[in-house]
Amino acid sequence: MQPEMVTTGLDLPGYRVVRNIGVVRGIVVRSRSIVGNFAGVLQTLFGGNITVYTNLCERARTESYRMMCEHADANGANAIVMMRYDANEVMNGVTEVICYGTAVVAEAERP
């Protein structure tokens, strides 16, 4: 899946949707290790960006996005519209990150 074929919008400029494949998703459930939590606590004492948690969140979003694109590819889509992220706490210290959207087949519009 090409990055330019994934959008949070309803459509892709220059393309028209010719087939709706359906909802696709990528789900990742993550927790921070004891060492990572300790480093996070230390960073909170000084304020600012808590990089150990920022990195954890970024990795979870990246992985869920990749999984969503793989799900779309496996179902014959070449584009995803209305892509979104969501996160839920499954239990204390354990978070689910989901990336989802509508997989479609899109063709370039003719001038």
Side-chain angles (χ1 to χ4, degrees), residues 8-92:
T8 58
L10 293 169
D11 58 10
L12 285 164
Y15 292 85
R16 66 183 183 87
V17 172
V18 296
R19 189 163 55 115
N20 179 6
I21 303 294
V23 174
V24 290
R25 77 244 171 258
I27 301 170
V28 175
V29 178
R30 289 277 171 100
S31 69
R32 176 50 76 186
S33 69
I34 292 173
V35 173
N37 278 330
F38 181 72
V41 168
L42 288 177
Q43 284 187 324
T44 61
L45 296 174
F46 299 101
N49 185 21
I50 304 170
T51 57
V52 292
Y53 293 127
T54 300
N55 294 335
L56 176 70
C57 291
E58 186 57 38
R59 282 195 313 274
R61 286 186 190 103
T62 298
E63 188 174 340
S64 66
Y65 177 87
R66 180 190 50 76
M67 292 169 71
M68 176 196 63
C69 290
E70 289 172 358
H71 188 197
D73 283 336
N75 285 289
N78 70 339
I80 299 171
V81 295
M82 294 297 296
M83 190 276 299
R84 299 286 188 268
Y85 287 105
D86 198 3
N88 300 292
E89 189 172 43
V90 176
M91 61 183 280
N92 191 23

